[in-house]
Amino acid sequence: MDLELNRHTAVIIPAYKPDDRLPPYVAALKEAGVGKIVIVDDGSGESYQTLFGSIPQDEVVHIISYVPNAGKGVALKRGMQYLLESCPDSRYVITADSDGQHTVKDVLRMAESLQEDDSGMLLGSRDFDQPDVPFKSRNGNKITSAVFKLFYGVWVSDTQTGLRGFASGLLPTMIAVKGERYEYEMNMLIECARQRLPMRALPIETVYENNNEGSHFRAVRDSVRIYSVILAGFFKFISASLLSFVVDYALYLLLNNLLKGVPALGNEIGVLFLRFVPHITIATVGARILSGIFNFTVNRKFVFDDKNSVSRSFPRYLAVFCLNMLLSAALTSGLHLAFGWSDNLVKIPVDILLFVLSYKLQQNWVFAPEKKKTGV
């Protein structure tokens, strides 16, 4: 046991109406040499003050209490804020639940792993294939992991684990993450994915007592919160893209119908292996330039909340913009010439297919934050 390492480790325990497992759990952490233990009484109420009062406070143990109940996200951030302001010696921060799921042994293993590599976020990963894991936990986590991978490109085997660790240098970043209740923990993962911070899994013991009845997770309401967080960015992108598409298509119809009256612009032109109809190409380019300026502004501010300079983001957006514009003109012209399909109607499915490509490129390259250094 590395007592020096443990001394520089802080553990935050959010607690809402905890049972009698909390006091001995705190005592065991203290006995193991953990340097700081912050318990956050998240509005448990007057009837729980006797239990909290049975936990001695000293230079190691500190209890934060407030009313009313504000949610797990608020509780975690209250604990982090206390560490940031009052515990400069804490190098590593670990969050653990108060319901007995996270063993002292796993907390200490997490501290040791952070000492070896404190980059990004270390996640205590449970084995959901064990027979004693409740059905809702087993299937809920697997589905959420798959959805998270689809939208953020990172596989997180246990998205709902409460045992997490990171270097104290990430405290300001984690405090700034939005969310008040269980959705906050999902927002932490999304922020790590956005900032390209590594998320590593540490296998931990899977503990479920009484079918996890001590959990305050509300299956329907909190699941809706979590999935709304996961899908929020994509739905914003859809909204912005639909609005930009309306602008783009309206301008395209206007320009294309006007230019059709010019005979010279109706002759086919071949460039390498591509074939273009001039009035379609000109209408596509003109409409896309104007709608592209609009779309860049909306995506940067509203969808991806880009903190990078315009000089970094705009050239990348312009590259994606030109690629999509070229593919749109080429595919629309090619399908029109090959099959005789309406040049006005065929543009719709073409741009829908290019939509997915644009989203992934903007998410992972155009508006992706620069990778941060997280060590202490």
Side-chain angles (χ1 to χ4, degrees), residues 32-83:
V34 172
K36 197 70 183 181
I37 304 169
V38 182
I39 305 158
V40 184
D41 171 17
D42 182 27
S44 299
E46 187 64 31
S47 61
Y48 285 84
Q49 295 315 299
T50 300
L51 185 146
F52 284 108
S54 68
I55 302 174
Q57 295 193 61
D58 50 28
E59 70 281 356
V60 174
V61 180
H62 179 74
I63 299 177
I64 301 172
S65 295
Y66 54 83
V67 290
N69 170 256
K72 190 177 184 181
V74 171
L76 287 170
K77 287 188 276 189
R78 286 283 192 97
M80 292 178 194
Q81 190 66 43
Y82 173 79
L83 291 179

Side-chain angles (χ1 to χ4, degrees), residues 177-193:
V177 171
K178 297 178 181 179
E180 297 182 349
R181 298 190 179 275
Y182 282 99
E183 77 277 6
Y184 169 73
E185 291 180 306
M186 183 58 67
N187 274 330
M188 292 174 72
L189 303 183
I190 292 174
E191 187 64 20
C192 287

Side-chain angles (χ1 to χ4, degrees), residues 194-254:
R194 287 192 71 253
Q195 296 197 22
R196 301 181 182 180
L197 298 174
M199 288 182 279
R200 298 170 290 115
L202 177 72
I204 63 173
E205 185 177 352
T206 306
V207 180
Y208 286 104
E209 297 186 12
N210 300 321
N211 201 38
N212 203 26
E213 291 178 358
S215 173
H216 295 284
F217 184 85
R218 298 163 295 185
V220 176
R221 185 182 302 180
D222 290 319
S223 293
V224 169
R225 284 177 178 269
I226 289 171
Y227 277 97
S228 65
V229 166
I230 295 177
L231 301 176
F234 187 65
F235 284 137
K236 285 182 180 179
F237 185 79
I238 290 176
S239 299
S241 297
L242 285 175
L243 187 57
S244 299
F245 172 75
V246 170
V247 173
D248 179 73
Y249 192 58
L251 291 170
Y252 169 80
L253 288 177
L254 175 64

Side-chain angles (χ1 to χ4, degrees), residues 2-11 34-36 83-84 87-94 110-111 114-115 117-120 165-171 374-376:
D2 191 338
L3 295 179
E4 179 64 18
L5 166 63
N6 294 345
R7 189 173 69 84
H8 292 290
T9 299
V11 178
V34 172
K36 197 70 183 181
L83 291 179
L84 184 64
C87 304
D89 292 336
S90 297
R91 298 176 186 172
Y92 312 110
V93 180
I94 296 174
M110 181 161 281
L114 286 170
Q115 185 183 40
D117 181 3
D118 66 358
S119 61
F166 52 88
S168 60
L170 269 180
L171 278 171
T374 63
V376 294

